[in-house]
């Protein structure tokens, strides 16, 4: 079977299985790049792809500047494609099956108290001076992300009916199209209540959008729009030591939970990781921080022994 037709068949199958548009786009881009590489090397059929072909492709990507995380993502997508080829009986064995993931040098950025105060104070000043809609919204976005660790897609799809002000919970539509309910703090309840009241006054109570976060035309905010918000804010803040993105807020949320001494199981539930091993990776990353905290607060420090 020709690779180009096999890839299209695979993408059609993903759409049929209701995979998210974002994931399908990822498959499409990676597999097209892989197809181009194979064509350049005169490998036209699915059956002609060998483990060595895939290794050479990943090495080619590394030489083009891809880091370990990116090449591992490409390997994961290619492996899924060949699993489908086995499923429809085009091949008997997955050529990507035994290729090991590259070791990743993982450095996760998190915001300090200084970063957080600088961002919130910036929007507070605009709220006071200009009463601008975007300042109220963006301030609430930051507080929501810091208080929940929501993914960008979850933030954008959050609706007012998902926010239970009485029981202090929000229900999110997370990965694998799974709805989950998580607790929120009284601080966040007050912030969202205040923001909702502002939106009712700004747009009119009868015109309140079903979505919590909208643009100034009262349309649902897109992930791309939020990314642009953070790009603009990054230029203004000019932080040298941390990347200003939605995922950094999620990492910060997880970091603060781990540093507080919360159990990995509880962190897993709040982060909504499907696998506890993912949570443990994050917790393990901050081992040095735990050592520093131990050196600073260990009870033996203040005992005269």
């Amino acid at each position: 079977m020709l690779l180009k037709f096999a890839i299209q068949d695979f993408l059609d199958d993903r759409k049929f299985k209701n995979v998210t548009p974002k994931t399908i786009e990822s498959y499409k881009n990676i597999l097209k790049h892989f197809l181009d590489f194979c064509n350049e090397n005169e490998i036209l059929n699915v059956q002609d792809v060998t483990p060595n072909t895939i290794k050479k492709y990943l090495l080619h990507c590394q030489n083009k500047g891809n880091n370990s995380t990116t090449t591992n993502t490409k390997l994961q997508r290619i492996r899924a494609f060949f699993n489908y080829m086995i499923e429809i009986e085009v091949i008997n064995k997955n050529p990507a099956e035994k290729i090991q993931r590259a070791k990743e040098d993982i450095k996760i950025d998190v915001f300090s108290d200084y970063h957080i105060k600088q961002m919130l104070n910036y929007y507070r000043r605009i709220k006071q001076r200009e009463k601008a809609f975007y300042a109220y919204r963006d301030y609430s976005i930051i507080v929501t992300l810091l208080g929940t660790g929501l993914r960008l897609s979850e933030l954008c799809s959050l609706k007012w009916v998902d926010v239970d002000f009485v029981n202090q919970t929000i229900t999110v539509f997370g990965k694998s199209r799974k709805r989950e309910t998580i607790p929120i703090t009284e601080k966040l309840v007050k912030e969202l209540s205040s923001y909702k009241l502002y939106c009712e006054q700004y747009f009119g109570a009868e015109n309140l959008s079903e979505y919590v976060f909208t643009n100034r035309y009262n349309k649902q905010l897109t992930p791309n729009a939020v990314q642009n918000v953070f790009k603009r804010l990054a230029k203004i803040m000019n932080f040298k030591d941390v990347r200003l993105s939605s995922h950094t807020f999620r990492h910060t949320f997880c970091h603060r939970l781990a540093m507080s001494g919360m159990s990995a199981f509880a962190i897993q539930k709040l982060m909504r990781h499907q696998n506890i091993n993912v949570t443990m990776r994050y917790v393990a990353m901050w081992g040095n921080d735990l050592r520093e905290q131990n050196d600073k607060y260990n009870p033996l420090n203040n005992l005269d022994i």
Side-chain angles (χ1 to χ4, degrees):
M1 187 175 189
L2 283 172
L3 261 173
K4 64 178 182 179
F5 293 127
I7 288 172
Q8 187 55 56
D9 189 16
F10 171 74
L11 294 173
D12 289 342
D13 179 75
R14 298 300 103 165
K15 291 176 184 176
F16 176 74
K17 290 178 177 173
N18 206 22
V19 172
T20 64
K22 183 179 178 181
T23 302
I24 290 174
E25 190 64 23
S26 173
Y27 277 124
K28 184 177 179 181
N29 292 335
I30 290 171
L31 292 175
K32 181 185 182 302
H33 192 246
F34 178 64
L35 174 63
D36 290 342
F37 175 83
C38 289
N39 287 340
E40 288 171 9
N41 289 273
E42 299 181 352
I43 299 168
L44 304 179
N45 294 309
V46 174
Q47 295 88 339
D48 296 331
V49 177
T50 66
N52 197 42
T53 306
I54 298 169
K55 286 178 184 176
K56 284 184 177 179
Y57 168 69
L58 296 175
L59 183 60
H60 167 76
C61 293
Q62 287 177 352
N63 292 336
K64 290 289 186 180
N66 285 182
N67 61 26
S68 298
T69 302
T70 303
T71 55
N72 285 338
T73 299
K74 289 182 176 181
L75 175 59
Q76 180 187 21
R77 299 298 193 221
I78 291 169
R79 189 175 283 154
F81 164 69
F82 282 108
N83 279 336
Y84 175 69
M85 290 296 101
I86 293 173
E87 184 183 322
I88 62 173
E89 300 180 348
V90 173
I91 56 176
N92 298 319
K93 190 174 181 181
N94 189 331
E97 183 180 0
K98 293 187 177 180
I99 298 176
Q100 295 185 348
R101 293 165 56 89
K103 290 185 178 179
E104 298 179 26
D105 296 324
I106 301 174
K107 178 186 178 295
I108 294 185
D109 290 336
V110 295
F111 293 121
S112 66
D113 287 353
Y114 168 79
H115 297 132
I116 294 168
K117 287 176 182 176
Q118 288 292 309
M119 290 184 284
L120 293 180
N121 285 340
Y122 167 71
Y123 285 123
R124 282 195 192 103
R125 290 194 298 272
I126 296 177
K127 286 201 291 186
Q128 291 170 357
R129 286 199 310 255
E130 303 174 24
K131 312 293 183 187
F133 165 73
Y134 78 89
Y136 287 88
R137 181 200 64 199
D138 296 354
Y139 183 94
S140 297
I141 284 175
I142 288 176
V143 174
T144 301
L145 290 174
L146 285 171
T148 61
L150 289 184
R151 299 177 179 92
L152 181 56
S153 58
E154 295 167 345
L155 178 87
C156 293
S157 61
L158 188 67
K159 298 180 180 180
W160 286 116
V161 293
D162 299 325
V163 183
D164 188 334
F165 291 104
V166 176
N167 295 308
Q168 298 188 355
T169 63
I170 59 171
T171 301
V172 295
F173 196 54
K175 277 193 171 182
S176 303
R177 301 184 178 274
K178 187 178 179 183
R179 294 194 75 87
E180 297 176 272
T181 299
I182 57 173
I184 56 176
T185 63
E186 189 172 341
K187 269 188 177 180
L188 183 54
V189 168
K190 288 180 179 178
E191 175 58 38
L192 288 175
S193 297
S194 176
Y195 175 63
K196 185 178 183 182
L197 181 61
Y198 170 80
C199 289
E200 288 174 340
Q201 294 170 345
Y202 186 85
F203 295 112
E206 68 282 1
N207 297 319
L208 182 70
S209 171
E210 63 176 327
Y211 291 100
V212 175
F213 298 109
T214 66
N215 61 23
R216 58 196 176 99
Y217 303 109
N218 210 19
K219 302 295 182 183
Q220 179 188 8
L221 210 58
T222 64
N224 188 55
V226 177
Q227 288 171 340
N228 287 333
V229 165
F230 290 140
K231 283 180 184 176
R232 289 193 296 270
L233 184 59
K235 289 180 181 178
I236 295 165
M237 294 290 104
N238 198 28
F239 296 142
K240 302 295 186 184
D241 53 344
V242 67
R243 179 170 173 259
L244 209 165
S245 71
S246 60
H247 223 63
T248 306
F249 286 103
R250 181 166 166 80
H251 289 152
T252 301
F253 176 73
C254 185
H255 177 258
R256 298 293 175 110
L257 296 181
M259 294 307 299
S260 71
M262 182 180 285
S263 72
F265 179 74
I267 295 173
Q268 179 195 12
K269 292 299 181 185
L270 289 174
M271 292 290 289
R272 287 155 289 109
H273 290 147
Q274 293 179 334
N275 192 322
I276 188 70
N277 291 332
V278 176
T279 311
M280 293 306 297
R281 278 177 60 199
Y282 283 111
V283 173
M285 276 174 218
W286 294 303
N288 290 335
D289 287 339
L290 291 172
R291 178 175 292 281
E292 290 169 12
Q293 293 290 308
N294 181 56
D295 290 342
K296 186 175 181 180
Y297 297 113
N298 193 288
L300 287 179
N301 292 343
N302 298 316
L303 291 176
D304 186 18
I305 55 174

